[in-house]
Amino acid sequence: MRIGISCHHTYGGSGAIATELGKALAERGHVVHFINRSAPFRLGSFSKNIFYHEVEAMHYPLFECPFHSLALATKIAEVATYEKLDIVHAHYAIPHALSAILARQMLEDRCSDRRCFRLATTLHGTDITVVGADSSMEGIVRLAINRSDGVTAVSDYLKNETVRLFDPKRDIRVIPNFVDTDVFNRMPDGPAIREKLGLGEEKVCIHLSNFRPVKRIGDVLAAFYAISKKIAATLLLVGDGPDRSDAEVWVRENGIVDRVRFLGKIDDIVPLLSVSDLMLMPSSGESFGLAALEAMACGVPVIVTTAGGFPEFIADGEHGFLVETGDVERMAEKGMFLLEDAEAWERFSRNCVARARAYHTGGLVERYESFYLRLLEEEGSYSAGSGE
Ligand code: GMT
């Protein structure tokens, strides 16, 4: 198949999943065209089946800001025409699905009998629960869902929320997040990584996110603060975003500067996960929680909330612990249990690795492939292997 992918290039789970999906599809022989504002952060090196088309929005003094969504629509139409795309896969309802809908209309407008791409849209989370729930965006998100040819959501939770909030006209298929367990596994050279990071013998907690309110960084810090009063530990904070400055102030005011490391945006997180003993992810609503799955693949037990999609792949007392949102005390208590009981930690760590294997890239990418095929067969324009 010839597949166009449009996603947010910035640091975050939807861009990570879209990019890993594109790379895996290319390895399986499909031709993948990324159509983006900037190269997605995990794209890395190119392969013979991967192409990247940058979207350049026009700057004109009359416009306060450039119309990126319109430029994206034009670029999708152009790439779809010249590269004969079978599928355009939009990740996150806006602007990608909308721009693709507009691109399709542009193509139909130019030539009504022209064979057009099929549009697959994957809902990732806040496109529904935060952005889509805002009255200024609700109608446009509903249009993006209803005018896509097929829609997937990354968890049952997100599917149910979409149905509750939007009462969509079409079925939504659940295809969960995935992880390449050949890449995400605990590296054996932990001591060398620890030395590079300036870590000693202390326990290591980690949090990875884009530091937005939904991630509840304050809870991460409060739980770690309680843990670090009893146990020698360092907290690695990976990522960046609006709540980082407040977090830095909190760390200074509470006198734990020497125990908290703000590492900023780091693409290769496997070495960091490989020296981590515990991941703290107390989000108030996480549609899936890719960072937790990637941590588990590296043998790191997780403490997460019961909110959103976490319970769909994390079992309390097996892979870590699920706490009510905001229950910092229980987070700290369960965190200390895992950091102090070496035997329990080994057991949890092994469970995590085994659980993550059930979400290995291959199986989930096949589900996307068959989803695309179904869309093409519905239209009757494609037979597998035709390349057309
Ligand atoms: O919805 C978002 O917040 C954006 C998105 C991202 O780009 O970070 O994250 C979402 O998509 C991921 C991949 O499907 C999920 O693993 C995350 O749980 C989800 N984030 C939220 O629901 C907050």
Side-chain angles (χ1 to χ4, degrees):
M1 279 178 272
R2 304 174 70 83
I3 301 156
I5 290 182
S6 188
C7 64
H8 291 292
H9 63 276
T10 42
Y11 205 72
S14 63
I17 283 293
T19 311
E20 298 296 350
L21 174 62
K23 292 193 308 196
L25 288 164
E27 260 177 44
R28 293 165 73 86
H30 303 288
V31 178
V32 177
H33 292 266
F34 283 94
I35 308 167
N36 273 44
R37 187 176 183 158
S38 282
F41 76 104
R42 281 207 189 169
L43 191 53
S45 61
F46 290 91
S47 89
K48 66 176 175 156
N49 285 342
I50 293 185
F51 299 86
Y52 165 61
H53 308 265
E54 188 146 310
V55 178
E56 182 77 43
M58 183 186 175
H59 291 256
Y60 185 65
L62 189 64
F63 311 149
E64 211 171 330
C65 49
F67 295 121
H68 174 73
S69 311
L70 302 183
L72 176 61
T74 308
K75 185 60 93 176
I76 292 174
E78 178 193 316
V79 176
T81 303
Y82 292 106
E83 303 297 343
K84 297 184 171 54
L85 297 183
D86 299 300
I87 293 284
V88 169
H89 192 164
H91 288 263
Y92 208 86
I94 55 168
H96 308 106
L98 278 166
S99 296
I101 290 164
L102 205 51
R104 189 166 55 190
Q105 285 177 345
M106 287 162 68
L107 295 179
E108 284 165 1
D109 189 51
R110 260 192 266 156
C111 175
S112 58
D113 61 351
R114 172 179 236 129
R115 176 186 166 279
C116 204
F117 60 82
R118 301 285 278 165
L119 172 59
T121 295
T122 290
L123 306 173
H124 281 274
T126 52
D127 41 358
I128 297 301
T129 57
V130 178
V131 179
D134 190 281
S135 58
S136 69
M137 289 289 173
E138 189 193 333
I140 206 84
V141 171
R142 178 173 291 108
L143 184 79
I145 296 169
N146 286 338
R147 294 291 168 91
S148 297
D149 297 308
V151 180
T152 74
V154 298
S155 61
D156 286 322
Y157 159 78
L158 186 59
K159 174 180 171 169
N160 295 338
E161 280 298 280
T162 308
V163 170
R164 186 176 71 80
L165 292 165
F166 293 95
D167 189 20
K169 284 188 190 151
R170 56 183 65 261
D171 271 356
I172 295 176
R173 186 182 289 200
V174 173
I175 305 182
N177 283 179
F178 53 84
V179 60
D180 185 345
T181 52
D182 296 332
V183 174
F184 280 81
N185 53 56
R186 212 168 178 85
M187 293 165 71
D189 48 349
I193 301 166
R194 289 183 83 97
E195 204 189 323
K196 213 168 165 187
L197 279 164
L199 297 168
E201 295 296 305
E202 74 268 38
K203 297 291 181 190
V204 177
C205 301
I206 189 165
H207 171 80
L208 197 151
S209 78
N210 37 27
F211 285 64
R212 284 174 296 157
V214 71
K215 304 292 176 181
R216 296 183 68 94
I217 306 301
D219 289 0
V220 175
L221 295 175
F224 175 75
Y225 184 71
I227 290 172
S228 70
K229 278 206 274 192
K230 305 255 169 68
I231 295 172
T234 284
L235 173 64
L236 303 179
L237 290 171
V238 187
D240 212 335
D243 289 349
R244 174 174 166 166
S245 299
D246 284 352
E248 290 196 59
V249 171
W250 196 96
V251 165
R252 268 184 240 128
E253 285 179 354
N254 286 277
I256 51 170
V257 176
D258 56 337
R259 277 172 276 164
V260 181
R261 299 279 303 275
F262 286 89
L263 297 173
K265 292 177 185 166
I266 292 185
D267 288 353
D268 184 11
I269 51 172
V270 176
L272 300 175
L273 292 172
S274 296
V275 293
S276 295
D277 301 293
L278 183 67
M279 171 168 271
L280 299 171
M281 208 170 161
S283 311
S284 56
E286 196 71 50
S287 67
F288 186 89
L290 177 64
L293 180 64
E294 291 179 339
M296 287 161 66
C298 294
V300 184
V302 294
I303 297 197
V304 296
T305 50
T306 48
F310 284 132
E312 292 175 38
F313 70 103
I314 299 169
D316 188 60
E318 244 182 81
H319 312 110
F321 292 97
L322 293 143
V323 305
E324 293 297 319
T325 305
D327 191 347
V328 171
E329 215 174 293
R330 196 169 131 84
M331 275 177 68
E333 178 205 321
K334 293 299 178 189
M336 276 184 290
F337 163 74
L338 282 167
L339 295 176
E340 285 183 319
D341 186 333
E343 222 173 274
W345 187 90
E346 285 293 340
R347 192 172 65 251
F348 276 68
S349 174
R350 275 197 306 276
N351 292 343
C352 284
V353 172
R355 184 71 177 138
R357 284 208 189 107
Y359 291 84
H360 180 59
T361 307
L364 278 311
V365 171
E366 271 175 29
R367 282 167 67 177
Y368 277 113
E369 268 178 331
S370 62
F371 180 65
Y372 297 158
L373 280 173
R374 203 203 70 201
L375 295 185
L376 292 168
E377 281 159 12
E378 269 172 11
E379 193 207 21
S381 67
Y382 184 87
S383 58
S386 72
E388 273 291 309

